[in-house]
Amino acid sequence: MNYTFHWLPAFRAVPDMLAGALVTLEIATLSMVLGVFFAILLAVGSSSNYRALRAVAISWVELARNTPALFQIYMAYFGLGSLGIHLDSFVALLAGITFNNAGYLAETFRGGLRAVPPTQMRAARSLGMGQIQAFRLVVMPQMFRIVFYPLTNQMVWAILMTSLGVVVGLNDDLTGVTQELNVRSFRTFEYFAMAAVIYYLLAKFVTASARLMEWRLFRY
Amino acid sequence: MFKGFGILAAATLTLAAALPAQADKLDDIIASGTLRCAVVLDFPPMGSRDANNEPIGFDVDYCNDLAKVLGVKAEIVETPFPDRIPALISGRVDVGVASTSDTLERAKTAGFTIPYFAFKMVVLTKDGLGIKDYADLKGKKTGSVSGTFEALALEKDVKKWGDGTTFNGYQTQADVFLALSQGQIDATVVTSTVAAAIVKDGKYKGLMMGGDAPYDIDYVALIALRNEQGLINYLNLFINQQVRTGRYKALYDKWIGLGEAPDLTIAGVYR
């Protein structure tokens, strides 16, 4: 081994890395909120009677699920940039991850919707609820119960995807901060090891909070 | 007779087994017959690829020269800026011929030779933005390759200026040029050699020089593992010989050719 670990100077970088982790969490959370919103539209849209709506929804889901997230983020920045639309790095990364999230979540929601028996809708309508009201008050809550686990999974995935922001010039998220510390001092292994631990803890934190939320939300 | 042979064989084996343990990196390179150089290939004219996708540039020739004097074959390993040290530590390359700025912070990790090249920094911008010198960058969107000498200097000034001035750190020089040509950023600071090459090349439309950046001269060195003193010693002598024999000047004329090759020494100090 021709490398001696310098842990002490590396530990001094922890506050900077935690500040980066906060940006990471912020992007991931925003992308989940937006992703869920678009995914519901996509899930409804892909079974819509309007052909154009169906086409848009299906192509979104197909593209999001069958091309690398890296390309989606790269396209949001440099692809749109070549058309003269300039998103800054933060927005481009957010757009890329949201696009990806929405695609995966749409499929999850579609599965969730199909798992809610159609009789629920009929029962709600027979009680005098409107279509949208019945969907919102009866079908959606049941669907969310079914898709909650995959949703948590997607949130963890979103956190990990934020690391791709470095390719579009984002340098204040966890990976960006780490990469800059790395090039500045060449202490690659210490910084990457610490970043890995922080990502791990972020992911665990998300899973744990999801458990807590689940327990609060879904008890009878 | 047989007994004596046995002892001799045992002695030879012991010696053979003991030798590799004493060999250092320099011996390893000579014995393996190949010198593996980490070269950055999106940093013209120091390193890039020609129409046939073959590595070319000052650093590529420099590695070939080194392999020649070592009596081995050169192998160019394309290495982006952030990956130079991992490539060295993991043993994928023997030396870095990769325009590495010799900062004291990095010298805690990697072994640096004496400087083999020196860069001056200039502003690179786009037509019609009205950026004529470094001070005009105030309030503009800037970017550079994350963690490089010029990125650190620029980022420091951007923080000082505030006032809506932004800085983006990209992973590769190619991404910086792409971002600049698309208008994602208004200007970057790069080495004058790279700026000259990229403006002349014309691959990115509308790029132009925006004056000198008032930074110190960026001396760059070859890198090897920090503990490979034998190898670093050899590399130092090699750099010295390149200048003495006129090869440094010849390579400078071939790849950069804007007048005098930069002086590699600083008056008043050794090294």
Side-chain angles (χ1 to χ4, degrees), chain B residues 22 32 61 119 144 178 192 212 233 257:
Chain B
Q22 287 165 353
S32 73
D61 281 359
F119 291 112
S144 186
L178 188 57
S192 58
D212 288 350
N233 212 14

Side-chain angles (χ1 to χ4, degrees), chain A:
Chain A
M1 190 65 187
N2 40 42
Y3 190 87
T4 313
F5 285 82
H6 291 179
W7 287 113
L8 191 67
F11 277 127
R12 288 199 198 111
V14 165
D16 285 343
M17 293 176 87
L18 288 179
L22 212 61
V23 176
T24 289
L25 207 55
E26 186 186 338
I27 297 174
T29 309
L30 276 172
S31 82
M32 274 308 279
V33 173
L34 292 170
V36 167
F37 172 75
F38 283 114
I40 292 172
L41 293 184
L42 289 178
V44 174
S46 62
S47 52
S48 154
N49 292 327
Y50 297 101
R51 194 179 238 178
L53 204 64
R54 213 165 57 223
V56 169
I58 289 172
S59 8
W60 180 326
V61 172
E62 284 292 302
L63 268 177
R65 282 164 51 93
N66 298 302
T67 60
L70 178 69
F71 289 176
Q72 293 162 16
I73 293 160
Y74 207 78
M75 289 307 278
Y77 193 74
F78 288 113
L80 291 179
S82 68
L83 303 173
I85 303 164
H86 297 149
L87 305 181
D88 73 31
S89 302
F90 184 94
V91 178
L93 177 63
L94 181 60
I97 299 179
T98 301
F99 180 80
N100 190 284
N101 270 346
Y104 276 92
L105 290 172
E107 284 297 277
T108 310
F109 286 162
R110 209 163 59 99
L113 283 177
R114 287 175 73 170
V116 178
T119 46
Q120 294 286 317
M121 187 65 156
R122 246 183 291 158
R125 292 302 298 276
S126 68
L127 288 174
M129 289 189 189
Q131 174 103 25
I132 292 181
Q133 200 181 16
F135 187 73
R136 190 166 60 86
L137 295 175
V138 175
V139 177
M140 285 261 280
Q142 294 186 65
M143 179 201 74
F144 265 111
R145 186 182 293 255
I146 296 162
V147 301
F148 193 77
Y149 256 121
L151 220 64
T152 316
N153 212 8
Q154 192 65 31
M155 175 65 188
V156 171
W157 183 224
I159 288 180
L160 305 186
M161 270 196 287
T162 58
S163 64
L164 298 171
V166 286
V167 303
V168 292
L170 190 75
N171 50 4
D172 55 3
D173 74 320
L174 181 51
T175 300
V177 170
T178 310
Q179 190 67 282
E180 191 149 332
L181 288 165
N182 163 33
V183 200
R184 200 174 287 208
S185 68
F186 283 172
R187 303 309 301 186
T188 314
F189 298 100
E190 290 92 331
Y191 291 131
F192 279 21
M194 283 197 301
V197 169
I198 297 175
Y199 274 117
Y200 182 87
L201 292 177
L202 280 181
K204 282 284 155 197
F205 168 73
V206 166
T207 323
S209 346
R211 283 277 159 76
L212 208 66
M213 256 167 78
E214 191 181 26
W215 178 69
R216 299 269 307 165
L217 286 173
F218 300 143
R219 59 184 168 180
Y220 287 96

Side-chain angles (χ1 to χ4, degrees), chain B residues 132-214:
Chain B
K132 281 185 213 64
D133 63 19
Y134 188 73
D136 290 338
L137 294 185
K138 200 173 171 180
K140 296 287 198 300
K141 292 182 289 180
T142 69
S144 186
V145 181
S146 193
T148 56
F149 178 88
E150 58 273 26
L152 297 182
L154 178 59
E155 205 178 351
K156 210 170 111 201
D157 281 341
V158 165
K159 280 210 182 95
K160 200 175 72 198
W161 289 331
D163 226 7
T165 322
T166 61
F167 175 86
N168 273 9
Y170 296 88
Q171 291 299 295
T172 68
Q173 192 71 67
D175 282 346
V176 176
F177 293 142
L178 188 57
L180 180 60
S181 71
Q182 287 188 351
Q184 308 271 21
I185 55 174
D186 299 324
T188 180
V189 173
V190 287
T191 58
S192 58
T193 51
V194 169
I198 210 75
V199 169
K200 199 174 86 189
D201 180 45
K203 201 168 82 187
Y204 301 98
K205 294 270 169 286
L207 300 192
M208 55 169 269
M209 305 278 212
D212 288 350

Side-chain angles (χ1 to χ4, degrees), chain B residues 205-226:
Chain B
K205 294 270 169 286
L207 300 192
M208 55 169 269
M209 305 278 212
D212 288 350
Y215 302 158
D216 296 337
I217 290 173
D218 178 22
Y219 292 97
V220 294
L222 306 182
I223 48 172
L225 288 175
R226 200 183 68 170

